[in-house]
Amino acid sequence: MRKFAVMISLTNLSYYLGSRALYENASMHIKPGQKIGLIGLNGTGKSTLLRLIMGEYQLDGGSISKAGDVTIGFLNQDLLSYQTDDSILSVAMQAFERQNHLQKRIDGLLHEMEVNYRDELIDKLARAQDEFAALDGYTIQSKAEEILEGLGFSTGDLDKPLRLFSGGWRMRVMLAKLLLQKPSLLMLDEPTNHLDLPSIVWVEKYILNYEGAVIVVSHDREFLDNVVDSIVEVSGAKLNFYAGNYSFYIEEKALRNEIQQGAYENQQAKIRQTERFIERFKAKATKAKQAQSRVKMLEKMDRVDAVIDENARVNFRFNFSTQPGRHILHLDEVTKNYGEKKILTHTTARLERGDHVALIGANGRGKSTLLRIIAGTEPTTKGERRLGHNVSFSFYAQHQLESLNVEDNMLEELKSANPTKSESELRTVLGCFLFSGDDVFKKIKVLSGGEKSRVALAKVLLSQANFLLLDEPTNHLDMQSVNILIQALDQYEGTFVVVSHDRYFVSQIANKIWYIEDEQIKEYPGTYDEYEWWMEERKSNPVETPASSAQPAANANGKLAEASKPADKNGQNRSNGSANGKSIANDEERKEWQRALKKATQQAEDFEQQIARLEKQKKQLETEMAEPKVVADGKLFQSKTADYKRVGTQLDSFQEQWENVMLEAEKLEKKLG
């Protein structure tokens, strides 16, 4: 493709839904190779803009001009319903239209030559094979396989019919097809909704190396930070451009808002002053002309809008009525198979009161299955699931949106979750989830998917459950709604397990990370940012770090688990039994304490090594950040600052874990005398 300064221009674009302007005199330019993140609240018209660019919708005003050889690929939600008996590999390879045509021609010529060998056919075959080779026709299958496997399909999946896969997996196949087509503009509408974490990371790398331009609609902050070089915000029927990634947009928008608010307040002061002058002198003959002049000035004034605060805040506490015991959940020796497919094998896990767990990992590992096992809606093949004393749970999953009563309005639906709340309190909750005024009287059946998700989440939080299970709660939520959910969970005093692929969301709400590996539930006893760092260390160093969560989730609490007391056949602790029983129990307990002390001592030494390494790294970064060449280079200084903060966070975490282990060791030493 020829290099144009501008590949596609949108000039004074206007588009209306009835009397409502989605766009009014909005403009933007798309340049070759540009990576644009298209953001905005749900309902502002992001998907509509992509369809306008595609030519699917007719403009009400303005124009869209494209360079002559621009090709566009569009991944949209409509593709979820596409079905065929063709294999997913065949569907992906439909991207190679010319190569497929040539392959059929070559096959036809070879078949014809078996019975009619002529020089004319040899010439045609040679020309077809030359063009096929020039178009890399002999590598198209391997390219298709590479992309499909990068998006999470196994080699065994590639020959299976597309119709056997769920909508999310079909969407991956359509994404693979688009990536193989390599259009000059790739438009992706919420691609991360249908990808697991490994696939998201793979797509990020692919987009970064993609030669064409990309427009991506996404509510995944980290994804946008990693792949885009500019942000276009849809707001107030306009397209506002920011020359940086999402983090840059946040900072720049705050600055712009500050300037705009200052201009607004200055203008309002001037308007009030002018109106006072008009009111005072309009009746005086000597000043009437001046007063009239000021009236005309106000009429012609280009008004500055006040800044609208889009950062909604939760001002409602989501309480529960019954306090649970310390132990929330026990999974003992749980095995789960689907036929020959093993999900979990003799795995054990524990949840304590106040645990905020994010369950992460690739699709197909059994995350949603594990949530259903915890909820008791999925039977185990073997093993036991037990809830603790006074534990009451509420379960949110996408399929449960269907359980909403479609004839209820929003107030009625929330009232069914908690009849004790007044209408005023329920309105406050709905306001937290961006429903205000008469919106609360809308029936569930007229709501969009994202609106239903917000209502269902509000119901879960109102249920007064002290244990929440949330399966992909951020799907279909815009960034403002995700922020509200983060605030609500931050205020929630109970225990929860969340399945999510939104890394920003997980980093804000989790104090422990669960993942499924080797058919076992494993736990990392820290935040997601710390977990990511640990995983990188683990990959680069096969010897596991001391914070390793490769231990079972039942015993990975960042400090030593309490030594359990042996129980007799009646389930009573033998230390509470006869004198002989007590003597036996003390001997066994001392052995347990000695083993635990040895383990604590080793952990403390390991933590000390990591602390020493990080302190050295921190000191080195302080030295580097003071160098003139680093200070003079804005990007380099920013990078060093980010590294310094990351090391500081890791150091704080290890120091806290070291203190916990040392306290536990001191307790054990006292017990042993």
Side-chain angles (χ1 to χ4, degrees):
M1 179 185 137
R2 300 192 308 277
K3 292 291 182 183
F4 291 87
V6 175
M7 190 168 73
I8 299 178
S9 291
L10 286 67
T11 308
N12 297 326
L13 191 78
S14 293
Y15 184 79
Y16 297 88
L17 284 177
S19 60
R20 177 189 167 211
L22 271 187
Y23 295 100
E24 196 164 46
N25 296 322
S27 299
M28 69 176 285
H29 304 293
I30 304 168
K31 299 177 181 179
Q34 193 173 17
K35 308 294 190 295
I36 299 171
L38 185 62
I39 67 171
L41 300 179
N42 282 345
T44 53
K46 301 183 296 296
S47 298
T48 298
L49 182 66
L50 301 186
R51 293 183 184 278
L52 287 168
I53 294 172
M54 279 296 292
E56 294 180 13
Y57 294 166
Q58 195 69 34
L59 296 176
D60 291 316
S63 63
I64 298 177
S65 58
K66 305 170 187 174
D69 55 356
V70 166
T71 55
I72 301 176
F74 182 25
L75 182 79
N76 60 77
Q77 304 305 307
D78 294 346
L79 298 175
L80 283 169
S81 59
Y82 177 73
Q83 294 192 44
T84 178
D85 286 328
D86 292 342
S87 71
I88 62 172
L89 180 59
S90 298
V91 173
M93 288 181 64
Q94 290 171 8
F96 303 108
E97 188 175 347
R98 181 58 184 168
Q99 292 94 324
N100 289 334
H101 171 75
L102 287 169
Q103 183 65 69
K104 288 180 180 178
R105 181 168 174 76
I106 290 168
D107 291 343
L109 288 168
L110 289 170
H111 180 70
E112 188 176 351
M113 287 171 63
E114 289 177 2
V115 294
N116 188 6
Y117 193 86
R118 307 195 313 272
D119 290 343
E120 177 188 354
L121 294 178
I122 294 174
D123 290 341
K124 288 181 180 180
L125 178 63
R127 287 196 297 273
Q129 288 175 329
D130 287 345
E131 184 181 355
F132 188 71
L135 294 171
D136 292 328
Y138 295 106
T139 64
I140 59 175
Q141 182 168 331
S142 61
K143 289 177 181 176
E145 290 171 348
E146 180 184 355
I147 286 184
L148 286 168
E149 290 174 5
L151 289 171
F153 291 98
S154 67
T155 303
D157 289 334
L158 303 186
D159 292 325
K160 294 179 181 177
L162 182 72
R163 61 176 174 76
L164 295 181
F165 293 87
S166 66
W169 286 98
R170 290 200 296 272
M171 183 65 85
R172 295 191 192 204
V173 177
M174 306 315 290
L175 174 58
K177 181 180 174 182
L178 283 179
L179 296 178
L180 289 165
Q181 286 173 334
K182 294 186 177 179
S184 46
L185 172 62
L186 184 61
M187 301 196 302
L188 307 175
D189 192 358
E190 293 287 4
T192 60
N193 274 358
H194 310 288
L195 301 177
D196 53 22
L197 275 173
S199 299
I200 289 173
V201 172
W202 185 90
V203 170
E204 285 176 352
K205 292 176 181 176
Y206 192 94
I207 290 177
L208 282 172
N209 296 315
Y210 191 72
E211 293 182 359
V214 177
I215 300 179
V216 58
V217 175
S218 179
H219 302 307
D220 186 328
R221 300 183 186 202
E222 189 157 344
F223 180 76
L224 290 173
D225 262 349
N226 291 342
V227 303
V228 307
D229 53 37
S230 50
I231 293 287
V232 173
E233 179 195 37
V234 183
S235 180
K238 294 289 189 283
L239 295 167
N240 304 312
F241 179 81
Y242 295 81
N245 63 10
Y246 187 82
S247 293
F248 173 85
Y249 153 79
I250 291 292
E251 295 177 6
E252 180 69 12
K253 185 176 183 181
L255 180 61
R256 291 188 193 184
N257 283 349
E258 186 179 344
I259 294 169
Q260 180 182 334
Q261 188 63 23
Y264 169 78
E265 290 171 359
N266 290 337
Q267 188 182 67
Q268 289 298 306
K270 185 175 182 180
I271 289 171
R272 287 192 296 272
Q273 183 182 10
T274 303
E275 287 174 341
R276 284 196 297 270
F277 180 92
I278 294 168
E279 187 64 28
R280 184 177 179 184
F281 294 113
K282 66 182 178 181
K284 289 191 176 184
T286 56
K287 296 286 187 178
K289 189 173 182 180
Q290 288 176 305
Q292 190 60 36
S293 173
R294 280 171 168 75
V295 170
K296 290 180 180 178
M297 181 189 74
L298 286 180
E299 289 173 350
K300 293 179 180 178
M301 183 179 287
D302 188 11
R303 300 292 178 109
V304 177
D305 294 327
V307 173
I308 300 172
D309 185 7
E310 295 179 348
N311 296 315
R313 293 171 181 84
V314 173
N315 57 0
F316 185 93
R317 296 201 69 82
F318 297 93
N319 298 319
F320 46 84
S321 56
T322 305
Q323 187 69 238
R326 175 186 169 186
H327 303 292
I328 301 297
L329 172 78
H330 292 240
L331 296 178
D332 291 327
E333 294 292 318
V334 168
T335 295
K336 178 63 182 178
N337 301 333
Y338 288 112
E340 296 297 317
K341 184 177 182 182
K342 296 180 179 180
I343 305 297
L344 300 169
T345 302
H346 297 297
T347 191
T348 297
R350 300 284 186 272
L351 280 175
E352 304 289 311
R353 185 177 59 232
D355 281 348
H356 294 171
V357 175
L359 176 55
I360 65 172
N363 284 347
R365 291 286 181 89
K367 301 188 299 295
S368 294
T369 299
L370 177 55
L371 274 196
R372 293 194 298 273
I373 288 172
I374 293 173
T377 59
E378 181 82 36
T380 61
T381 306
K382 290 180 182 177
E384 185 181 11
R385 162 258 191 199
R386 298 193 310 277
L387 292 179
H389 178 64
N390 278 342
V391 172
S392 60
F393 70 88
S394 188
F395 189 10
Y396 171 87
Q398 287 296 313
H399 71 271
Q400 289 174 313
L401 300 187
E402 300 166 7
S403 66
L404 296 174
N405 189 334
V406 296
E407 295 301 326
D408 278 351
N409 64 38
M410 288 188 243
L411 275 177
E412 292 168 340
E413 194 65 17
L414 261 62
K415 191 75 172 176
S416 70
N418 193 330
T420 65
K421 296 296 182 186
S422 66
E423 180 175 319
S424 175
E425 289 175 311
L426 295 178
R427 278 179 171 271
T428 299
V429 174
L430 286 168
C432 291
F433 284 88
L434 309 182
F435 297 112
S436 59
D438 290 340
D439 284 346
V440 301
F441 298 113
K442 286 183 179 178
K443 288 189 179 293
I444 301 298
K445 64 184 178 184
V446 303
L447 302 181
S448 67
E451 289 171 331
K452 287 178 182 175
S453 294
R454 301 205 309 266
V455 172
L457 282 168
K459 279 189 67 177
V460 166
L461 291 167
L462 273 172
S463 66
Q464 298 194 76
N466 50 41
F467 179 31
L468 303 182
L469 300 170
L470 307 174
D471 193 1
E472 297 289 6
T474 61
N475 272 6
H476 309 297
L477 297 186
D478 58 28
M479 290 179 181
Q480 190 174 4
S481 301
V482 171
N483 185 49
I484 288 166
L485 181 57
I486 289 169
Q487 292 178 63
L489 291 176
D490 186 54
Q491 293 183 15
Y492 179 70
E493 295 177 355
T495 305
F496 59 76
V497 179
V498 175
V499 172
S500 179
H501 60 252
D502 186 325
R503 289 160 291 181
Y504 174 78
F505 172 70
V506 167
S507 71
Q508 298 299 304
I509 56 96
N511 59 23
K512 289 183 179 179
I513 305 298
W514 278 12
Y515 60 101
I516 299 173
E517 183 179 76
D518 300 326
E519 300 160 20
Q520 297 290 306
I521 303 169
K522 303 290 183 66
E523 179 181 292
Y524 181 85
T527 66
Y528 180 73
D529 291 337
E530 293 165 344
Y531 165 80
E532 273 200 319
W533 169 84
W534 173 76
M535 284 297 289
E536 289 300 317
E537 291 283 305
R538 189 184 183 199
K539 289 176 185 175
S540 59
N541 181 9
V543 178
E544 294 198 345
T545 61
S548 169
S549 53
Q551 52 188 312
N555 195 36
N557 299 316
K559 58 184 179 179
L560 291 175
E562 291 185 0
S564 59
K565 297 179 180 180
D568 63 17
K569 64 182 179 181
N570 296 317
Q572 300 296 319
N573 288 334
R574 284 185 287 179
S575 57
N576 297 327
S578 65
N580 290 338
K582 185 174 181 180
S583 175
I584 295 169
N586 282 339
D587 289 340
E588 291 179 353
E589 282 177 347
R590 288 187 67 82
K591 290 178 183 177
E592 286 287 339
W593 294 339
Q594 286 169 349
R595 283 194 290 268
L597 178 59
K598 183 178 179 181
K599 184 176 179 181
T601 303
Q602 182 60 52
Q603 282 186 318
E605 290 175 0
D606 291 336
F607 284 135
E608 286 166 2
Q609 291 177 10
Q610 291 296 331
I611 289 167
R613 178 182 63 80
L614 288 167
E615 286 177 338
K616 183 178 179 181
Q617 195 173 345
K618 187 177 181 181
K619 190 173 181 179
Q620 176 65 29
L621 284 167
E622 288 173 344
T623 303
E624 291 173 359
M625 289 168 68
E627 293 177 3
K629 67 177 182 180
V630 175
V631 176
D633 188 335
K635 286 187 177 179
L636 182 58
F637 185 80
Q638 190 176 14
S639 174
K640 294 291 183 184
T641 302
D643 289 341
Y644 185 81
K645 289 180 180 177
R646 176 179 57 79
V647 170
T649 300
Q650 294 166 5
L651 184 58
D652 290 343
S653 174
F654 276 117
Q655 286 173 336
E656 182 181 353
Q657 292 180 75
W658 176 82
E659 289 171 3
N660 289 334
V661 170
M662 290 301 295
L663 286 171
E664 188 66 29
E666 288 175 7
K667 290 179 184 177
L668 290 166
E669 285 175 345
K670 287 179 181 178
K671 287 180 178 180
L672 288 166

